Amino acid sequence: MTLDSLGDVRTMSASVAATDSHDLLKDLVEEVFNEYITNEMPIRLLHITKDDQKIRLQLVDRDFVKEHFKEKKVPDNIHADFAENMVVDGEEREDRIRERVKKELKYAILSHRWLPGKQEPLYHQMSKEPKEVPDDHEPGWKKLQNFCRTAKDVHGCEFAWSDTCCIDKKSSSELDESIRSMFRWYRNSHVCIALLSETADLAAFQLQEKGQSGEKAVDAWFERGWTLQELLAPSQIKFYGANWKPLIQGSTNDRGSKVIMEKIETLTDINMNDLESFTPGIDRVPEKMLWASRRRTTRMEDIAYCLIGIFDISLMITYGEGKRAFFRLMEEIVKRYDKWDLFLWSGRRSRYNAALPDAPHSYAAGCIQTLRNAVRQAASYEFGDRRFALTNHGLEIWVLLLGVEVEDVSEDLPDSRCLTFKHDYFRVKVTHVGPKPHDVTWAVGVLDYSVDGEEGIIDSDRLREIPISAFLLSSNKHASIHLPATAKWKKEMTKEVVRIDPPGDHIQEPLTLLYL
């Protein structure tokens, strides 16, 4: 073999290697492209086209979306760009391809409050072929038309999604997937178009205040359960008033608007960092529950289902289970959360476990700032039992059990009474809720004690700025002497979180294991 022929072989080998490499890259792009549409985009979308100034809508599935973008050469263009600039390899390259795919596969998503009655367009009313939306349709259709027109003309999206008409609710599997994927669908959208149907303009929005009525009343969008994740999930969100004019002109994303975000922070108690960039997960549980505490849902179960994306929890959707849905949500949270601030709730307890709340609004009682301080402290110091768990005996938790006696009773009503308890080193006043207790022994179970081996400590000089948090516990004086100590105490309902001012003296006692 001559030197020239050897050179030709090397050139051919390099060419084949490059071709193989590019073929592998093309396969990877195709794979990421298909996986993204199948796993990260809604099951169905509205395809928006325009004939003159008329909007035409077509309900399409994921296969249509794939073919549409393939016809527009999206995978080919991505492949060509990465083949020309192969600066990374492995997982990083795949991540960059996925980011590019997301950028190309744009869809707008609607966040709104449903109209009363049957005014909204539903799944079975949507056409599988391009169909014009008449201008004289009822309010729900006009809303959908304005949404799709805004999505296409203002935000450059050929596809759009609305919860009213893009979910086949007769299919339990589709409904289940849609609800469990909802947070991700909002997060992956190019833009979330949020309609504040009770807000005329920015000036009217600025007047809104919590607890007010009339022109100062908060727009109902801020009081619905599902719109919480619709506020937090999207990377881009644009607010429109009742007349479909943007509250802020010029920008296509209000996430960076100081005027709007500061007002939302005031209305929702959601801090600015979360409004600007929210990361879902099981952390700061009472604070996130506080966000949902003033929100309502039509279906009882939805107050739990609308939070699964916020906490990044997978929960089976079972309409008809009622308040058990929220208990199942709390069960999942307890499995992965280890801070005592989970129990900073008051009011009605769950019918399934006395140590867990009945609903998010149980976290709303008391001072918000105190709650936030407690959340920060729970994260900063090693206080309390971090191994609590739900068992078939109830909530298993170690507390610092301190016996107390009733010193005074006031405001004694059939379903509540104000009780003042005394201990050798402190007094605590609580509003007890429920039937009037008889023949009981009282105690407080301190949650945020310092740990010293198998003993719990509270004292006046530890680094804290807030009162001690505790359960109010009772035990029947006539209970069997054979009843184990772990099972004789039960948690009582209180109108407010039980808080004890740090005592003037050092208290150190063995910890007590309870099943509540």
Side-chain angles (χ1 to χ4, degrees):
M1 181 179 292
T2 66
L3 289 176
D4 288 341
S5 62
L6 181 60
D8 291 340
V9 169
R10 288 174 177 172
T11 302
M12 291 176 60
S13 299
S15 177
V16 170
T19 302
D20 290 344
S21 176
H22 286 184
D23 287 343
L24 290 174
L25 177 61
K26 187 171 185 177
D27 290 343
L28 178 61
V29 171
E30 287 280 351
E31 187 176 339
V32 172
F33 174 82
N34 291 327
E35 284 180 356
Y36 186 84
I37 293 175
T38 302
N39 298 300
E40 303 296 335
M41 294 183 71
I43 299 170
R44 306 177 198 280
L45 288 164
L46 294 171
H47 183 223
I48 310 166
T49 53
K50 289 183 70 174
D51 185 4
D52 294 329
Q53 291 303 310
K54 296 289 186 181
I55 287 288
R56 296 164 68 90
L57 302 180
Q58 178 184 3
L59 186 66
V60 301
D61 59 16
R62 287 165 171 160
D63 288 336
F64 180 98
V65 174
K66 287 180 185 177
E67 292 306 313
H68 174 83
F69 284 108
K70 282 182 179 179
E71 288 177 7
K72 299 190 76 170
K73 306 294 184 183
V74 168
D76 293 340
N77 293 338
I78 294 174
H79 168 253
D81 289 349
F82 276 82
E84 185 177 343
N85 302 292
M86 291 186 63
V87 294
V88 293
D89 205 346
E91 290 185 8
E92 186 177 353
R93 180 173 64 178
E94 185 171 335
D95 289 342
R96 290 196 183 184
I97 292 172
R98 187 173 290 105
E99 290 173 7
R100 175 69 183 277
V101 167
K102 178 181 178 180
K103 184 178 179 181
E104 297 289 340
L105 274 54
K106 298 195 302 184
Y107 65 92
I109 201 162
L110 177 64
S111 178
H112 66 123
R113 186 188 181 192
W114 280 46
L115 295 169
K118 298 181 179 180
Q119 300 183 71
E120 298 284 358
L122 302 177
Y123 171 81
H124 69 272
Q125 297 173 288
M126 304 310 297
S127 172
K128 301 297 175 65
E129 299 295 331
K131 185 176 181 180
E132 192 175 290
V133 181
D135 291 330
D136 59 351
H137 258 301
E138 56 193 29
W141 282 96
K142 288 182 179 179
K143 185 204 305 185
L144 183 64
Q145 184 184 52
N146 284 324
F147 161 58
C148 291
R149 187 184 300 278
T150 303
K152 186 168 181 63
D153 292 350
V154 179
H155 299 282
C157 295
E158 297 179 87
F159 292 92
W161 187 90
S162 170
D163 58 349
T164 60
C165 58
C166 292
I167 303 175
D168 182 3
K169 296 181 177 67
K170 290 184 179 180
S171 168
S172 58
S173 61
E174 182 168 327
L175 181 61
D176 185 277
E177 180 181 349
S178 298
I179 290 177
R180 292 206 269 182
S181 305
M182 198 80 70
F183 185 95
R184 191 165 69 253
W185 290 352
Y186 273 86
R187 172 137 293 188
N188 291 335
S189 66
H190 174 68
V191 63
C192 173
I193 295 173
L195 176 63
L196 304 185
S197 58
E198 297 176 349
T199 302
D201 50 29
L202 182 61
F205 180 57
Q206 292 286 57
L207 289 175
Q208 295 177 13
E209 295 180 18
K210 288 182 292 187
Q212 297 295 317
S213 58
E215 65 176 10
K216 292 187 176 182
V218 175
D219 193 292
W221 189 87
F222 293 100
E223 297 176 339
R224 304 306 297 173
W226 286 106
T227 54
L228 175 60
Q229 70 172 5
E230 293 164 16
L231 167 64
L232 295 171
S235 58
Q236 295 195 101
I237 187 167
K238 187 65 184 174
F239 289 94
Y240 289 81
N243 57 5
W244 278 97
K245 290 184 179 179
L247 296 190
I248 296 285
Q249 298 285 347
S251 170
T252 57
N253 182 16
D254 291 335
R255 191 71 73 190
S257 168
K258 186 176 180 181
V259 172
I260 289 182
M261 289 297 125
E262 285 185 350
K263 185 62 180 180
I264 292 176
E265 182 180 30
T266 302
L267 295 177
T268 63
D269 297 316
I270 302 173
N271 67 66
M272 187 61 71
N273 289 337
D274 288 306
L275 288 174
E276 292 176 347
S277 179
F278 175 74
T279 301
I282 299 184
D283 60 345
R284 299 179 293 141
V285 171
E287 185 176 359
K288 291 178 180 179
M289 288 294 182
L290 181 68
W291 301 343
S293 65
R294 283 188 291 271
R295 295 174 179 261
R296 301 187 67 83
T297 57
T298 302
R299 293 296 299 264
M300 189 182 300
E301 298 87 349
D302 281 341
I303 199 61
Y305 301 158
C306 73
L307 294 175
I308 60 180
I310 301 291
F311 288 108
D312 193 20
I313 284 173
S314 180
L315 206 64
M316 184 173 291
I317 308 304
T318 314
Y319 282 107
E321 66 176 327
K323 291 194 173 184
R324 185 171 180 81
F326 186 73
F327 173 70
R328 289 197 297 118
L329 177 78
M330 293 301 296
E331 272 189 310
E332 293 302 315
I333 289 173
V334 169
K335 289 177 184 177
R336 294 163 52 190
Y337 193 71
D338 66 351
K339 294 183 175 61
W340 59 269
D341 63 7
L342 177 70
F343 305 107
L344 284 174
W345 64 271
S346 60
R348 190 181 297 276
R349 64 193 176 198
S350 169
R351 62 180 292 189
Y352 303 102
N353 184 276
L356 296 178
D358 181 61
H361 62 72
S362 297
Y363 286 93
C367 174
I368 292 173
Q369 192 58 48
T370 299
L371 177 57
R372 285 179 174 167
N373 287 341
V375 170
R376 283 195 293 269
Q377 180 159 296
S380 301
Y381 302 102
E382 294 295 322
F383 288 155
D385 183 7
R386 303 192 67 172
R387 294 174 295 175
F388 57 80
L390 280 174
T391 72
N392 58 350
H393 295 295
L395 178 74
E396 178 185 278
I397 186 169
W398 290 90
V399 301
L400 179 56
L401 190 71
L402 304 175
V404 293
E405 295 179 356
V406 176
E407 184 178 55
D408 183 58
V409 180
S410 61
E411 301 176 25
D412 196 356
L413 302 173
D415 60 350
S416 68
R417 62 227 37 96
C418 185
L419 303 177
T420 301
F421 295 99
K422 67 176 182 178
H423 181 270
D424 289 344
Y425 297 112
F426 60 83
R427 281 175 170 74
V428 58
K429 189 175 183 179
V430 301
T431 303
H432 175 257
V433 178
K436 191 171 184 177
H438 296 282
D439 296 327
V440 298
T441 300
W442 296 96
V444 292
V446 175
L447 299 168
D448 50 335
Y449 50 82
S450 301
V451 181
D452 183 8
E454 296 182 354
E455 294 185 324
I457 302 170
I458 55 175
D459 52 47
S460 58
D461 62 353
R462 65 177 177 166
L463 298 174
R464 63 181 303 141
E465 300 175 355
I466 62 170
I468 297 154
S469 301
F471 288 150
L472 178 62
L473 304 169
S474 69
S475 175
N476 190 328
K477 289 182 178 179
H478 304 296
S480 169
I481 60 174
H482 301 295
L483 189 69
T486 56
K488 77 174 187 176
W489 294 98
K490 71 172 186 176
K491 182 185 181 299
E492 294 287 345
M493 291 190 294
T494 57
K495 188 177 179 180
E496 60 284 306
V497 176
V498 178
R499 297 190 178 98
I500 305 166
D501 289 330
D505 292 297
H506 178 90
I507 300 176
Q508 183 167 352
E509 300 283 348
L511 294 171
T512 302
L513 178 64
L514 300 181
Y515 288 94
L516 303 173

